[in-house]
Amino acid sequence: MTTPSNPSAATPLTERQEERRRRILKAGVRLARRGGFDAVQMREVADSSQVALGTLYRYFPSKVHLLVATMQDQLRQLHDGLHRRPPTDAEPAARVANTLMRAFRGLQRDPQLADAMVRACLFADRSVSQEVDVVSQLTRRIILDAMRLDGPPSPQQMAAARVIEHTWHSTLITWLSGRASIGEVTADIETVCRLVDLPAAVPPPDDRG
Amino acid sequence: MTTPSNPSAATPLTERQEERRRRILKAGVRLARRGGFDAVQMREVADSSQVALGTLYRYFPSKVHLLVATMQDQLRQLHDGLHRRPPTDAEPAARVANTLMRAFRGLQRDPQLADAMVRACLFADRSVSQEVDVVSQLTRRIILDAMRLDGPPSPQQMAAARVIEHTWHSTLITWLSGRASIGEVTADIETVCRLVDLPAAVPPPDDRG
DNA sequence: CGCACTTCTGTAACTTGTTCTAGCTTATCG
DNA sequence: CGATAAGCTAGAACAAGTTACAGAAGTGCG
């Protein structure tokens, strides 16, 4: 039951193949920057990256896979950037909020690219769940890093991180589709980040024990 | 710049037209119940509701419009049901959480329908923003009703409602695409609802004054 | 080198959302 | 009733994601 045709499986990819993959991703980003999700057309990505359509689909089995992979790329770059210049605020909640605001400012520079990536992640069905899960984990890692915990995160802290991640994705989409302003996105991020400083303050309300 | 061809504009719709519209929505729901988003195929909706394809598009200018309208329908039904049997918990946060859990249990009975509606709302682009905004307002109304406030909501309460709504949509999609369990959705809802009881407890952390 | 196997290419075909067109039906109004 | 316009139908046509396929190019091995 192996899938020898799919390089994303276990095959380590040759040099030329890595090169092709990079070309494809780059072409996708270029197209996404104009026009967003709709402008990333598979035939154009193939032409633009000098690869046959069939080859494109061998590397990325769907348009959504391609854009989710792009999102992974961008998150890894962001994560690296954050390692070099971590947030300096005293409170964990503020560090998380500022980290996300930094990411948000990055996305504002390329709203169309953001549109393509975020819509792909939210629209993705089960066939992409593994790849979207990587996006999820990367995002959560960024949030947890910003918390800068001493030990492993408590269940409450994990829960907060999850909810922050939800709010992040959903508020982004409302902004991208023109239903929320930058100010509203900012407010949502700050609001949800309050959960970070909370876990000890409010014990589970229904602590039957 | 009027759009006389679009009944959704201002035309009050005749009896026969209301009837057609209902048939279309019903057919859409029926198809969505099997197969989810992908199974709602416009030609089939048209056939199944005994309407020409062009007519379908006159009533709902895109598949996403159709499914967003379905979501509006469902939310109005939920809202009515909640009026008849409101949540009885003492704490506002618990009322909100239980309200959303009730909605969630409803969706669990028809996960495929939920898939179609939620994916449509999240995937919707600017051309549907008005209709998606109605979904947003209905959702927020349900949340605010569950809070059962005395006066008008404070800015913090509005902010909490917004974030709860974000978490609701996003956690639903993770469940629908198989990346989160029912337990995780439940936990996310309960976590975010803690924001409701909070506004007074945690003043703005950086109260420069 | 020559062979077997995989990968890549170019292209056509298929699917489904969306648009367009020509003609028919219904509603409105004088 | 008859004219006019708006709405409806059937079906073709178009667009973009996806799949299929035949052959060329690259790779590994005897």
Side-chain angles (χ1 to χ4, degrees), chain A residues 25-37 39-40 67 74 77 106 109-114 116:
Chain A
L25 283 169
K26 197 165 177 178
V29 168
R30 201 171 54 77
L31 289 171
R33 271 198 239 271
R34 351 199 187 301
F37 187 89
V40 180
L67 290 173
Q74 298 284 118
Q77 285 178 32
R109 262 173 256 127
D110 260 316
Q112 299 282 42
L113 175 59

Side-chain angles (χ1 to χ4, degrees), chain A residues 2-22:
Chain A
T2 56
T3 322
S5 58
N6 184 355
S8 82
T11 324
L13 289 208
T14 70
E15 188 57 35
R16 292 168 57 80
Q17 286 175 328
E18 275 294 1
E19 176 58 28
R20 271 199 202 90
R21 199 187 127 92
R22 266 192 299 273

Side-chain angles (χ1 to χ4, degrees), chain A residues 16 40-43 53-54 57 61-63:
Chain A
R16 292 168 57 80
V40 180
Q41 303 194 351
M42 296 304 265
R43 287 177 181 82
L53 193 55
Y57 273 94
S62 79
K63 171 170 171 169

Side-chain angles (χ1 to χ4, degrees), chain A residues 2-200:
Chain A
T2 56
T3 322
S5 58
N6 184 355
S8 82
T11 324
L13 289 208
T14 70
E15 188 57 35
R16 292 168 57 80
Q17 286 175 328
E18 275 294 1
E19 176 58 28
R20 271 199 202 90
R21 199 187 127 92
R22 266 192 299 273
R23 277 210 311 275
I24 293 172
L25 283 169
K26 197 165 177 178
V29 168
R30 201 171 54 77
L31 289 171
R33 271 198 239 271
R34 351 199 187 301
F37 187 89
D38 295 329
V40 180
Q41 303 194 351
M42 296 304 265
R43 287 177 181 82
E44 262 198 85
V45 172
D47 288 356
S48 179
S49 52
Q50 290 166 296
V51 137
L53 193 55
T55 306
L56 170 52
Y57 273 94
R58 176 188 293 275
Y59 281 73
F60 300 97
S62 79
K63 171 170 171 169
V64 168
H65 280 85
L66 169 60
L67 290 173
V68 170
T70 303
M71 177 70 113
Q72 292 178 5
D73 248 35
Q74 298 284 118
L75 282 175
R76 275 188 263 266
Q77 285 178 32
L78 173 63
H79 199 185
D80 287 354
L82 287 165
H83 263 301
R84 279 193 295 276
R85 314 170 87 254
T88 59
D89 312 74
E91 293 300 316
R95 287 197 297 272
V96 175
N98 277 336
T99 298
L100 294 181
M101 284 308 296
R102 203 191 290 184
F104 181 39
R105 280 188 293 273
L107 294 179
Q108 286 176 52
R109 262 173 256 127
D110 260 316
Q112 299 282 42
L113 175 59
D115 175 81
M117 297 188 303
V118 176
R119 298 249 303 279
C121 287
L122 290 173
F123 185 57
D125 66 5
R126 301 179 105 86
S127 70
V128 209
S129 62
Q130 200 179 323
E131 287 81 357
V132 179
D133 209 53
V134 172
V135 168
S136 222
Q137 283 169 270
L138 286 167
T139 308
R140 216 167 310 156
R141 183 100 305 276
I142 287 172
I143 293 169
L144 288 169
D145 280 3
M147 289 185 189
R148 210 178 301 152
L149 307 168
D150 292 330
S154 70
Q156 276 101 345
Q157 288 166 328
M158 280 302 290
R162 288 173 57 89
V163 169
I164 290 170
E165 190 199 330
H166 289 314
T167 301
W168 166 244
H169 285 137
S170 174
T171 196
L172 270 186
I173 204 74
T174 61
W175 169 65
L176 290 167
S177 52
R179 304 198 311 278
S181 65
I182 291 178
E184 284 167 304
V185 173
T186 306
D188 289 347
I189 290 173
E190 285 175 357
T191 299
V192 76
C193 283
R194 290 219 234 149
L195 281 173
V196 171
D197 288 337
L198 235 61

Side-chain angles (χ1 to χ4, degrees), chain B:
Chain B
M1 287 303 150
T2 56
T3 321
S5 57
N6 183 354
S8 81
T11 324
L13 289 209
T14 71
E15 188 57 35
R16 293 168 57 78
Q17 287 175 326
E18 276 293 0
E19 176 58 27
R20 271 200 202 89
R21 199 186 126 92
R22 266 192 298 273
R23 276 210 311 276
I24 293 172
L25 283 169
K26 198 166 179 177
V29 168
R30 201 171 54 76
L31 290 172
R33 272 199 238 270
R34 347 199 188 304
F37 187 90
D38 294 330
V40 181
Q41 301 191 354
M42 297 303 267
R43 285 176 183 82
E44 264 198 83
V45 173
D47 288 355
S48 178
S49 53
Q50 290 166 296
V51 136
L53 193 55
T55 307
L56 170 53
Y57 273 95
R58 175 188 295 275
Y59 281 73
F60 300 97
S62 79
K63 171 171 171 170
V64 169
H65 280 85
L66 169 60
L67 290 173
V68 170
T70 304
M71 176 70 115
Q72 291 178 6
D73 249 35
Q74 299 284 118
L75 282 174
R76 275 187 264 265
Q77 286 178 32
L78 173 64
H79 199 186
D80 288 354
L82 287 166
H83 264 301
R84 280 192 296 277
R85 315 172 84 252
T88 59
D89 312 75
E91 292 300 315
R95 288 197 297 273
V96 175
N98 278 335
T99 297
L100 294 182
M101 284 308 296
R102 201 188 293 184
F104 182 39
R105 280 189 293 273
L107 293 180
Q108 285 175 51
R109 261 174 257 127
D110 261 318
Q112 299 283 43
L113 176 57
D115 174 81
M117 296 188 304
V118 175
R119 297 249 304 280
C121 286
L122 289 173
F123 186 57
D125 65 3
R126 302 180 104 87
S127 70
V128 208
S129 62
Q130 201 180 322
E131 287 82 357
V132 178
D133 209 53
V134 172
V135 168
S136 221
Q137 283 168 269
L138 286 167
T139 308
R140 215 166 312 157
R141 182 101 306 277
I142 287 172
I143 294 169
L144 289 169
D145 280 3
M147 289 187 190
R148 212 178 299 150
L149 306 168
D150 294 330
S154 69
Q156 275 102 345
Q157 287 166 329
M158 280 302 290
R162 288 174 56 89
V163 169
I164 289 170
E165 188 199 331
H166 289 314
T167 300
W168 166 245
H169 286 137
S170 174
T171 196
L172 269 187
I173 204 74
T174 63
W175 170 64
L176 290 167
S177 52
R179 304 198 311 276
S181 66
I182 292 177
E184 285 168 305
V185 173
T186 307
D188 288 347
I189 291 173
E190 285 175 358
T191 299
V192 76
C193 283
R194 290 220 233 147
L195 281 172
V196 171
D197 289 336
L198 235 62
V202 176
D206 197 14
D207 191 16
R208 58 159 190 76

